[in-house]
Amino acid sequence: MAEQSAAGLIGARVRRQEDPRLLTGRAQFVDDVRLPGMLNAAVLRSPVPHARIVRIDVSRALAHPGVYAVVTGDEVRAAVATPQPVIWRMIPDQRMTDGYPLAVGKARYVGQGIAAVAATDRATAEDALELIDVEYDELPAVTTLEEALAEDAPKLYDEWPDNVSCRATIPKGDVEAAFAEADVVVRETFRFARQMGTPLETRGVVATWDPFTDRLDVWLSTQSPNLARDLFGEVLDVSVDKIRVRVPDVGGGFGNKFDFYGEEVVAAILSKRTGRPVKLIEDRLESFVANAHSREQKVEVELAATSDGRITGLRGTVYAVLGGQLATVGIGPCWLTAALMSGPYDIANVEASVVGVVTNRSPYGSYRGWGQPKSNFAHERMVDLLARRLDMDPLDVRRKNLIPADAFPYASPVFFYDGGRYDECLGLATDAVRDRGWLRRRDEARGSGRTVGIGYSFHVEITALGPSRIMNMAGLQHSAFDEEVVRIDSSGRVTVYTGQTALGQGIQTALAQVAAEQLGVPLDDVTVVVGDTDTCPYTGYGTGASRAASLGGGAVLTASKRLKEKVLRIAGGMLEAAPEDLVVADGRISVVGVPDRSVSMAEIGDAAYRRINGRLPEDEVPTLEEREVFDPPNVAFSYGCTAVLADVDRETGEVRLLDYLIAHDCGTVINPLIVDGQLHGGAAQAIGGALYEELVYGPDGQIQTTTFMDYLMPTASEIPAFELLHMETPAEHIPGGFKGMGEGGTIGGAAAIAGAVDDALADLGVATVALPITPPRLLAAMRNGQVQA
Amino acid sequence: MKAAAFDYHRATSVDDAIQQLGAADDAKVLAGGQSLVPLLAMRLARPTVLVDLNRLADLAYVRRENGELAIGALTRHRTVETAELVRRDVPLLADALAHVGHVTIRNRGTIGGSIAHGDPAAELPAVAVALDATFRLRGPGGERSVAAGDFFFGYLMTALEPDELLTEIRWPVLPQGTGCAVEELTRRNGDFALVAVFAALTMGADGVCTQARISVAGAAAAPLRADNAEQALIGSRVSAADAGAAADRLAAATDPPNDIHAPADYRREMAAVLGRRAIQRAWAQANRTNAGE
């Protein structure tokens, strides 16, 4: 790459340093890890949705040539100290499911791990799975929310009174009064299909439990190595000094790889049993049952408003269709749907409830957006429906209710929104729609067999998670600070050590830009080291919740500032000048106005590490390294407005996206190229969620979508060009002003697409209340008014 | 997703392949592998032997013979799709192939593999039925020809015997003045069709339809020839009303499956919509062809 000048690197559209490796096939993913003597494991998965496990006979599998070990749920349970951890516990009286890495006693969903085999190779391990005899005493299954909540429904947990894991209500103001006094009340129920993130690289682990040192060395495709290390320690009852988690290149995370899965523990136990490294890779087929599912909810919402469109109250209930046991994040994502139900609107009275219901389906875990796509869909659709009821322009209803710029920090039912210019952002989007002639295109299409509509959504996005103490008080059983280390070596080059994980999102380049600008060195002089708990610092939580660039960037910025002060003190001594009279540019420190009097960063490095005497000031310790821990005082809210131009075929129900734009504010932008990429990817997943993707279960509890032929991810052919419009309102409480933006594209898309579809079919009164919008469903809606699941 | 163990035999000739197929209990032919390999990986297919045809270069060709187009079974989709002879003599086949999966799949998949697999939602079986293609099959007892209309008789079920090999597909050349159209409804570009209609209509000198060849994929357990729609069009001037009426007949003859991607009713209704569009587009093209454009 060409030399980049350090000045102005923050905000520069520089190419990503990691891409040449990734694009030329030089990346090394977890399946590329091959260790001497390594075994390959495979998991036997339940073929039934709900059953008592009467007996497991592994003798034939154990006798199979090439098989080294077979473990069952009971054996795994005996080997662990605790159930699989659930770290989000914001509802104190929630009934926990206490699941284990493999099923113990009962199987509660198709695909739940029953036993595991370690063998010389994966094919042999799969052969051995066929030789395990399991006797199931099948039980009636509850495969839908309605079945689970029915009176006399079969219970997943015998000791519970019903299938409800938790109920909680988040109040603000006086909702009853707001509804009693309302001019109009609008009610609607929304349904969201089950969906999941589908990283091209499925999950995987290589665990080596060394029988001589008793150290557990793990290669893991994860977003949260420090969390994984702590959870390995808890579950296996091992102090964490004996556990190392390394993360190779990760082929996409999308939240799925934030969670801590049973297979990871199983691999460690199989390694301990065999004394060999054990690789366990989730294949594509099993990824559709073993990877965290997400999104499936029913959301009931009521809006109270005045006759001129001012929203005075919102009441909602989120029914979380949880699976057979709780995943690492428990009720977290569904709780967040309720917590953010009022979105970007200034609503005085809000009451949002969440009801967590277990069903015989795969566990509900993390997926990009983490509950927010549903809250966004709910409030944006409700605004559109309110506008329809009042015969107002939905944009006017938005303008009337958006939180005004002078109302920040704004107390929403749970979070303090830190700041923003929401109305301006909406204007940016509507101006762009006007300037690009969308209104004309819509009018021209009217009256033909295909009609065109325009839809909008306005989203808020919680990022920069988060203040550790407050998160602990809210129920998170983990911290959320970030620690970064910035070091200049003896040759004057810079290395940033981070606990954040590189998932293909460009975090190395982003952190390098921050360090390079602060230190005054060329971008190529900065290396960012990720992915090793032995050598990298500790980040709380992990690389999720849109926090890496924001908190990591903030911490790198502060550490680099302090490191630069030391550089200037050393340079001041060498140049016989006061540090405040020095400037740094392109890796050289010079006296202001006397460019000939200068010293290079390499000479500073040499003076700090090697030829110290006479060059490193007497009162300075050798080495050049700073460590910064940043625990933010608050989360940061990014926001944006999505506009979609869509075409509907009235004969087939097909929806085609013609144009798509996002106006967006994520505070100070480190690299617009990376922000664009994150928004593009997020929007692609929003399109998948709105129009294509659905994990389907049959009435028998069997999942029917276990390949990409049936689970329809959108491809490049289905995705329009995206246009992005950036605003920058720096976060005042984060050094550098950076906010996160990893999820915004995903959050706002579906509501805008649904709005465009409804607009295209306005004459038919269609109201889209369920996702995904498939051609048969849309055609039916044209006849009966509502797009139903 | 690792295949169960199987033996592998690389065929050295058609006779060698046939002998291998006859010798094994449950042998499978490996051509392009685009359907077979996933089935192996998922252990849904567990053959004892795979007989690999890929070295049989003399099974890959496109040539004009006796007024027909002869295509070797091992010819790749993409080769057929882009062959000048196919574009000129059997344009409906070239149009249909553009809808098969994606280019990377078509580079590998073979025309014989697609026919022998017999997926009722796939393009090639339906086009073969519409155009009255004939299939040359060879077995231990020698060679026979089977008309496309007699070949497919159920979901993934064909007239091919376990020890027979499909070696060639012969396509009648479409007459002058023929317009072709493929209308296919898929959830995503490249997916199997929810419904697809293939139409080739020939316009006589007097402006009436003299020949109609129409078939439907995804509409029944086997590809469906829409004879009733064809009969309704022959002799007509294919007005919008004629096209609609014929398409309704076509839809009425369907018995589509119900699955997670679309209910049967939807597919039947779409058969009417796509049928009408295909007939109208094919006829418009026939018109242009006759006008010398």
Side-chain angles (χ1 to χ4, degrees):
Chain A
M1 190 194 302
E3 287 280 292
Q4 300 277 356
S5 162
L9 265 176
I10 293 176
R13 190 175 278 273
V14 298
R15 287 195 181 168
R16 307 188 336 165
Q17 295 176 311
E18 43 277 76
D19 283 350
R21 281 182 58 249
L22 295 172
L23 295 176
T24 55
R26 263 72 172 173
Q28 298 220 325
F29 301 99
V30 70
D31 198 27
D32 296 318
V33 174
R34 290 187 176 84
L35 303 176
M38 186 177 78
L39 302 175
N40 277 272
V43 175
L44 180 70
R45 299 187 177 280
S46 174
V48 293
H50 197 193
R52 254 174 253 293
I53 301 167
V54 179
R55 191 181 56 87
I56 305 180
D57 181 353
V58 302
S59 54
R60 287 198 302 144
L62 266 175
H64 189 68
V67 170
Y68 280 70
V70 183
V71 290
T72 64
D74 286 337
E75 291 169 277
V76 167
R77 177 171 186 169
V80 299
T82 71
Q84 279 296 93
V86 176
I87 65 166
W88 280 97
R89 293 174 179 245
M90 54 274 289
I91 301 175
D93 61 351
Q94 180 174 13
R95 294 189 192 101
M96 305 310 283
T97 56
D98 287 346
Y100 287 87
L102 297 174
V104 173
K106 250 177 129 180
R108 293 188 176 85
Y109 57 94
V110 170
Q112 186 172 14
I114 301 293
V117 173
T120 46
D121 58 87
R122 174 73 182 219
T124 304
E126 290 188 23
D127 290 343
L129 295 184
E130 298 180 354
L131 302 173
I132 298 174
D133 298 308
V134 186
E135 189 184 326
Y136 295 100
D137 176 13
E138 280 198 61
L139 300 167
V142 289
T143 62
T144 65
L145 176 67
E146 284 68 22
E147 281 176 30
L149 289 176
E151 247 179 89
D152 303 325
K155 288 191 291 183
L156 269 73
Y157 291 89
D158 298 337
E159 60 279 20
W160 295 11
D162 51 30
N163 290 313
V164 176
S165 169
C166 60
R167 286 175 199 275
T169 296
I170 301 162
K172 172 186 167 181
D174 186 347
V175 172
E176 291 221 2
F179 277 85
E181 292 159 15
D183 295 336
V184 300
V185 172
V186 183
R187 295 190 178 85
E188 195 49 84
T189 300
F190 303 100
R191 296 298 299 239
F192 303 92
R194 231 163 217 257
Q195 298 172 342
M196 68 177 204
T198 47
L200 272 189
E201 183 209 21
T202 53
R203 296 184 301 110
V205 56
V206 180
T208 308
W209 203 326
D210 188 308
F212 300 102
T213 63
D214 204 28
R215 270 183 66 99
L216 175 61
D217 194 331
V218 182
W219 288 96
L220 188 61
S221 186
T222 181
Q223 297 170 229
S224 44
N226 286 287
L227 174 66
R229 184 193 193 204
D230 284 329
L231 298 183
F232 270 122
E234 261 177 45
V235 170
L236 298 169
D237 195 19
V238 175
S239 58
V240 294
D241 62 301
K242 291 201 179 300
I243 303 171
R244 180 183 194 182
V245 176
R246 277 182 282 183
V247 184
D249 288 309
V250 175
F254 307 128
N256 320 48
K257 291 182 187 167
F258 173 85
D259 295 14
F260 181 74
Y261 291 83
E263 287 90 341
E264 292 150 24
V265 175
V266 168
I269 290 170
L270 284 170
S271 175
K272 186 163 197 175
R273 280 230 175 162
T274 58
R276 287 165 174 260
V278 171
K279 176 187 282 184
L280 179 45
I281 303 289
E282 170 190 86
D283 69 27
R284 183 64 66 195
L285 208 52
E286 59 188 342
S287 77
F288 286 98
V289 291
N291 197 6
H293 287 184
S294 193
R295 301 277 193 261
E296 192 180 18
Q297 294 182 1
K298 178 174 91 167
V299 181
E300 297 169 347
V301 198
E302 290 178 286
L303 223 49
T306 61
S307 56
D308 63 349
R310 173 84 200 147
I311 302 168
T312 52
L314 182 156
R315 192 151 51 192
T317 302
V318 174
Y319 292 90
V321 188
L322 304 171
Q325 65 185 43
L326 294 171
T328 313
V329 293
I331 193 67
C334 301
W335 174 87
L336 192 64
T337 304
L340 289 174
M341 188 87 81
S342 56
Y345 301 112
D346 177 15
I347 305 176
N349 311 292
V350 181
E351 186 182 277
S353 302
V354 58
V355 182
V357 182
V358 292
T359 61
N360 293 114
R361 298 186 167 209
S362 288
Y364 190 126
S366 300
Y367 176 28
R368 195 178 200 175
W370 221 74
Q372 298 170 96
K374 278 82 67 185
S375 46
N376 181 263
F377 194 82
H379 61 66
E380 289 309 279
R381 298 272 60 214
M382 290 308 285
V383 164
D384 283 351
L385 294 174
L386 175 63
R388 191 182 285 189
R389 168 76 72 86
L390 296 173
D391 200 20
M392 285 177 67
D393 181 344
L395 291 170
D396 286 337
V397 177
R398 287 187 173 87
R399 284 185 198 105
K400 199 165 265 215
N401 290 285
L402 283 173
I403 299 166
D406 59 9
F408 293 103
Y410 177 85
S412 83
V414 175
F415 300 98
F416 277 94
Y417 295 178
D418 53 303
R421 295 173 284 152
Y422 293 2
D423 194 56
E424 235 175 280
C425 185
L426 180 66
L428 196 58
T430 53
D431 287 354
V433 163
R434 186 198 58 215
D435 295 346
R436 282 148 191 77
W438 288 17
L439 302 167
R440 182 178 45 74
R441 288 168 73 179
R442 177 174 63 179
D443 292 343
E444 284 170 2
R446 288 254 152 92
S448 74
R450 307 178 81 93
T451 52
V452 170
I454 300 170
Y456 291 92
S457 83
F458 200 99
H459 75 263
V460 291
E461 174 189 10
I462 188 169
T463 79
L465 187 87
S468 295
R469 289 182 178 82
I470 293 172
M471 288 301 149
N472 286 164
M473 277 191 283
L476 176 60
Q477 307 297 307
H478 201 68
S479 58
F481 63 84
D482 185 70
E483 179 186 29
E484 301 283 337
V485 173
V486 183
R487 182 187 294 166
I488 298 176
D489 61 31
S490 61
S491 62
R493 298 298 171 106
V494 180
T495 306
V496 175
Y497 296 85
T498 180
Q500 301 291 350
T501 302
L503 312 167
Q505 82 280 49
I507 188 63
Q508 290 115 311
T509 300
L511 295 182
Q513 283 179 259
V514 174
E517 170 160 329
Q518 284 306 308
L519 290 167
V521 301
L523 182 62
D524 286 352
D525 284 6
V526 184
T527 301
V528 178
V529 176
V530 301
D532 184 357
T533 58
D534 268 11
T535 55
C536 291
Y538 195 101
T539 194
Y541 209 65
T543 301
S546 297
R547 61 194 299 279
S550 170
L551 303 186
V556 165
L557 186 140
T558 306
S560 301
K561 263 187 183 162
R562 276 207 305 276
L563 188 55
K564 184 177 174 186
E565 288 165 10
K566 183 169 180 180
V567 166
L568 293 181
R569 291 197 301 272
I570 299 170
M574 292 168 78
L575 297 170
E576 297 178 342
E580 54 270 27
D581 293 334
L582 299 177
V583 286
V584 191
D586 277 338
R588 281 201 89 77
I589 304 98
S590 55
V591 179
V592 178
V594 197
D596 290 351
R597 267 177 69 198
S598 70
V599 57
S600 70
M601 201 62 88
E603 289 168 275
I604 300 287
D606 193 82
Y609 285 91
R610 303 183 65 201
R611 285 163 276 263
I612 290 169
N613 189 35
R615 302 205 297 165
L616 186 72
E618 293 290 334
D619 54 352
E620 296 286 349
V621 293
T623 74
L624 289 163
E625 178 175 302
E626 287 295 337
R627 176 176 299 267
E628 173 68 10
V629 177
F630 180 48
D631 200 354
N634 188 12
V635 294
F637 275 85
S638 294
Y639 58 93
C641 183
T642 303
V644 169
L645 184 71
D647 157 311
V648 177
D649 184 326
R650 290 187 173 219
E651 286 188 314
T652 64
E654 289 174 288
V655 176
R656 201 155 48 96
L657 303 181
L658 305 175
D659 226 334
Y660 200 115
L661 65 87
I662 305 173
H664 188 258
D665 186 349
C666 60
T668 306
V669 169
I670 298 173
N671 185 338
L673 189 73
I674 292 177
V675 171
D676 288 359
Q678 286 279 304
L679 288 167
H680 289 168
Q685 287 179 310
I687 291 168
L691 299 176
Y692 299 101
E693 297 177 33
E694 183 167 7
L695 292 160
V696 179
Y697 280 84
D700 54 0
Q702 294 290 335
I703 187 164
Q704 300 182 346
T705 46
T706 57
T707 72
F708 280 134
M709 282 178 71
D710 289 324
Y711 187 76
L712 307 179
M713 273 213 308
T715 69
S717 316
E718 283 73 46
I719 294 172
F722 300 114
E723 183 177 4
L724 307 176
L725 307 160
H726 298 293
M727 293 170 51
E728 293 194 33
T729 313
E732 289 173 11
H733 60 296
I734 291 173
F738 318 125
K739 298 185 183 187
M741 45 76 230
E743 299 164 272
T746 311
I747 295 168
I753 293 167
V757 168
D758 285 7
D759 186 43
L761 300 172
D763 56 314
L764 301 175
V766 167
T768 300
V769 297
L771 298 177
I773 309 164
T774 66
R777 287 174 191 157
L778 187 54
L779 201 64
M782 289 181 219
R783 288 159 192 170
N784 64 27
Q786 275 203 339
V787 177
Q788 301 282 4
Chain B
M1 290 186 74
K2 301 289 180 218
F6 54 81
D7 289 328
Y8 170 85
H9 181 84
R10 178 182 289 149
T12 53
S13 66
V14 171
D15 288 338
D16 176 42
I18 290 165
Q19 196 197 337
Q20 288 294 326
L21 291 175
D25 271 349
D26 184 12
K28 279 273 180 197
V29 172
L30 175 65
Q34 298 303 292
S35 299
L36 178 60
V37 171
L39 291 173
L40 291 174
M42 293 188 259
R43 299 194 174 197
L44 292 173
R46 305 181 70 132
T48 52
V49 184
L50 272 197
V51 180
D52 183 354
L53 304 186
N54 280 283
R55 293 289 173 93
L56 303 183
D58 54 351
L59 277 185
Y61 54 85
V62 178
R63 58 184 174 236
R64 182 88 186 237
E65 266 178 23
N66 308 326
E68 289 183 316
L69 204 63
I71 302 182
L74 200 65
T75 317
R76 311 287 162 179
H77 286 131
R78 186 69 174 162
T79 308
V80 178
E81 178 190 352
T82 55
E84 195 50 47
L85 272 179
V86 176
R87 169 62 45 209
R88 195 189 68 199
D89 292 346
V90 196
L92 186 66
L93 176 58
D95 291 348
L97 279 164
H99 291 268
V100 177
H102 300 273
V103 171
T104 42
I105 292 170
R106 301 203 288 274
N107 281 336
R108 192 76 205 146
T110 67
I111 182 161
S114 198
I115 297 278
H117 190 55
D119 192 315
E123 290 81 0
L124 272 169
V127 180
V129 164
L131 299 184
D132 287 323
T134 49
F135 306 142
R136 282 173 68 172
L137 316 179
R138 246 163 79 185
E143 194 166 82
R144 64 182 177 129
S145 280
V146 177
D150 300 328
F151 187 75
F152 305 101
F153 58 86
Y155 182 75
L156 302 186
M157 296 197 321
T158 70
L160 195 65
E161 296 295 332
D163 55 357
E164 275 184 318
L165 199 64
L166 169 63
T167 57
E168 185 181 85
I169 300 102
R170 300 183 74 88
W171 307 83
V173 171
L174 287 166
Q176 290 292 313
T178 301
C180 298
V182 177
E183 284 286 338
E184 178 162 322
L185 182 66
T186 56
R187 291 293 308 280
R188 299 173 305 180
N189 184 35
D191 281 343
F192 273 97
L194 296 180
V195 190
V197 178
F198 305 85
L201 303 183
T202 308
M203 181 187 279
D206 54 354
V208 302
C209 179
T210 55
Q211 189 189 80
R213 298 174 165 283
I214 303 174
S215 68
V216 192
L224 180 76
R225 179 80 182 258
D227 331 60
N228 50 1
E230 294 174 358
Q231 293 311 317
L233 292 171
I234 292 170
S236 84
R237 294 184 177 273
V238 193
S239 65
D242 293 335
D248 288 344
R249 284 189 173 204
L250 172 154
T254 62
D255 179 18
N258 212 348
D259 66 25
I260 59 169
H261 298 302
D265 288 351
Y266 176 80
R267 283 186 160 95
R268 186 176 296 111
E269 191 179 340
M270 289 308 103
V273 171
L274 301 186
R276 193 198 70 231
R277 290 179 182 179
I279 291 165
Q280 288 189 308
R281 217 152 51 72
W283 190 248
Q285 201 196 56
N287 240 318
R288 286 198 299 276
T289 310
N290 272 13
E293 279 176 34

